[in-house]
């Protein structure tokens, strides 16, 4: 089985700061790094590091072939990534002392996917594979509906949240992955409990994973309600925590792991990730997650 990840690829410009820059303020950063990122690339890397087979579908600028090499070096299959004249997407990230981040995104090549490119990839996918999407590329609706029309299961992480688009696509997806804020925005409610109840009531046949930050994660599907607490660690940078969780969870589910086991493994990977600085470079390997779990559960 293979995950076909129609996902963003960004160059992340990471600045460590005392606090987020305020209007009119000029402030020196404590450090600067440029790293590979983007929700799509991060999730592909997490899948590959969890030993899943993942083919990334996306685009970068012609001058950024080093990005393809970096993805390939961790096991991501890159033959479906186009090289274009459009600048590679990038993000400007402020990371404060509390390990919180503020991010400005530029879509760039991430918004150059064509229907022809999508159709060409969809024809290669079997009903045993998965399509994975976030909301940092174009053609989201077209990809989801084409996959659905070909009986290909879709996992959708609608970040950044677009409520109207996500609601339109809910009937066509197999697995929805949202954090607590996205869930509340999607259901137009003010509490996590209200979001949970509303999701279960309105979408009883949809599998839903709701991450709860330091409180853990909840899985909902019909009457099924599985909760797994987060592992307690001291966070350094939470940038890629959610993407790491998604990659390791989906990889475990593809291996036919019970949902609770998949959630525990994904929580462990996410916990390790937040103890490290950066996005893609912070994502742990399967071996590191195994060792962490062995210590935590012994």
């Amino acid at each position: 089985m293979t995950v076909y990840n129609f996902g963003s690829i960004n160059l992340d410009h990471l600045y460590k700061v005392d606090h987020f820059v305020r209007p009119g303020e000029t402030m020196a950063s404590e450090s600067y790094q440029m790293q590979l990122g983007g929700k799509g690339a991060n999730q592909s890397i997490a899948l590959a590091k969890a030993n899943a087979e993942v083919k990334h579908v996306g685009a970068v600028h012609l001058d950024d072939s080093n990005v393809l090499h970096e993805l390939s070096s961790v096991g991501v299959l890159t033959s479906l990534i186009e090289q274009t004249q459009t600048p590679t997407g990038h993000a400007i990230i402020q990371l404060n002392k509390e390990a919180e981040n503020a991010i400005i995104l530029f879509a760039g090549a991430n918004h150059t996917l064509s229907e022809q490119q999508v159709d060409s990839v969809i024809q290669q996918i079997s009903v045993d594979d998965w399509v994975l999407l976030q909301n940092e590329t174009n053609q989201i609706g077209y990809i989801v509906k084409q996959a659905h029309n070909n009986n290909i299961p879709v996992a959708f992480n609608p970040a950044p949240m677009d409520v109207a688009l996500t609601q339109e696509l809910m009937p066509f997806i197999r697995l929805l992955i949202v954090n607590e804020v996205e869930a509340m925005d999607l259901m137009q409610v003010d509490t996590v409990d209200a979001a949970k109840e509303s999701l279960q009531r309105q979408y009883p046949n949809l599998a839903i994973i709701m991450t709860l930050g330091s409180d853990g994660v909840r899985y909902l599907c019909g009457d099924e309600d599985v909760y797994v607490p987060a592992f307690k660690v001291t966070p350094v940078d939470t940038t890629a925590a959610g993407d790491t969780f998604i990659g390791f969870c989906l990889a475990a589910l593809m291996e036919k792991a019970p949902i609770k086991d998949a959630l525990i493994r994904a929580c462990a990977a996410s916990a390790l990730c937040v103890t490290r600085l950066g996005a893609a470079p912070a994502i742990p390997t399967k071996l590191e997650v195994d060792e962490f779990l062995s210590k935590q559960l012994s």
Side-chain angles (χ1 to χ4, degrees):
M1 291 191 294
T2 303
V3 178
Y4 287 78
N5 184 7
F6 291 78
S8 57
I9 301 171
N10 286 336
L11 296 174
D12 286 351
H13 300 266
L14 175 64
Y15 301 86
K16 288 190 72 175
V17 295
D18 179 75
H19 57 271
F20 297 147
V21 178
R22 296 166 294 195
E25 179 181 22
T26 299
M27 179 175 63
S29 65
E30 298 172 15
S31 67
Y32 164 77
Q33 296 180 37
M34 186 174 74
Q35 302 174 334
L36 177 60
K39 290 184 180 299
N42 292 341
Q43 291 176 22
S44 282
I45 290 169
L47 280 157
K49 286 190 170 184
N51 287 358
E53 181 171 285
V54 52
K55 294 186 177 181
H56 195 98
V57 187
V60 296
H61 189 266
L62 286 164
D63 292 339
D64 289 324
S65 57
N66 59 307
V67 171
L68 305 184
H69 296 312
E70 188 168 349
L71 287 168
S72 297
S73 71
V74 295
V76 178
L77 301 175
T78 62
S79 62
L80 300 177
I81 298 174
E82 302 268 332
Q83 292 184 268
T84 77
Q85 296 287 352
T86 305
T88 300
H90 69 254
I92 295 174
I93 304 171
Q94 298 179 65
L95 178 67
N96 70 13
K97 292 189 297 186
E98 287 75 38
E100 299 169 323
N101 56 58
I103 304 173
I104 299 172
L105 287 176
F106 168 70
N110 293 319
H111 277 204
T112 62
L113 290 175
S114 67
E115 291 185 0
Q116 292 78 9
Q117 183 184 2
V118 172
D119 290 341
S120 174
V121 175
I122 290 291
Q123 291 170 12
Q124 305 176 33
I125 308 176
S126 81
V127 294
D128 295 322
D129 298 324
W130 277 83
V131 162
L132 172 64
L133 303 101
Q134 311 77 38
N135 199 24
E136 290 184 344
T137 61
N138 64 329
Q139 302 290 358
I140 298 296
Y142 187 76
I143 295 165
V144 169
K145 291 174 183 177
Q146 289 298 97
H148 176 76
N149 290 341
N150 286 274
N151 298 313
I152 301 164
V154 175
F156 186 29
N157 171 221
M161 174 57 71
D162 180 326
V163 171
L165 174 66
T166 305
Q167 289 177 342
E168 175 192 343
L169 297 179
M170 297 280 264
F172 307 105
I173 63 175
R174 182 82 56 86
L175 174 64
L176 177 74
I177 310 165
V178 288
N179 64 29
E180 54 194 330
V181 175
E182 292 159 353
M184 289 186 288
D185 287 348
L186 178 61
M187 304 314 295
Q188 303 290 282
V189 295
D190 297 325
T191 68
V192 175
D193 285 343
K196 169 185 169 295
E197 292 167 6
S198 184
L199 281 165
Q200 284 181 297
R201 183 178 64 254
Q202 294 188 39
Y203 304 100
N205 299 317
L206 177 63
I208 300 162
I209 293 175
M210 187 192 308
T211 58
L212 307 170
S214 59
D215 289 332
V217 61
R218 190 173 292 281
Y219 171 83
L220 310 168
C221 188
D223 294 331
E224 193 173 5
D225 185 344
V226 179
Y227 170 74
V228 170
F231 293 94
K232 302 303 179 185
V233 295
T234 301
V236 172
D237 183 358
T238 61
T239 302
D243 298 328
T244 299
F245 177 94
I246 290 168
F248 272 80
C249 186
L250 192 54
L253 292 175
M254 290 178 66
E255 294 174 353
K256 307 301 183 184
I259 185 61
K260 188 166 187 176
D261 292 349
L263 296 177
I264 291 171
R265 172 164 291 278
C267 282
S270 184
L272 270 176
C273 176
V274 302
T275 64
R276 303 167 176 178
L277 186 64
I283 298 171
T285 63
K286 185 177 186 293
L287 178 60
E288 288 173 325
V289 173
D290 288 341
E291 292 173 346
F292 177 83
L293 277 171
S294 178
K295 291 176 183 177
Q296 292 290 322
L297 302 178
S298 62

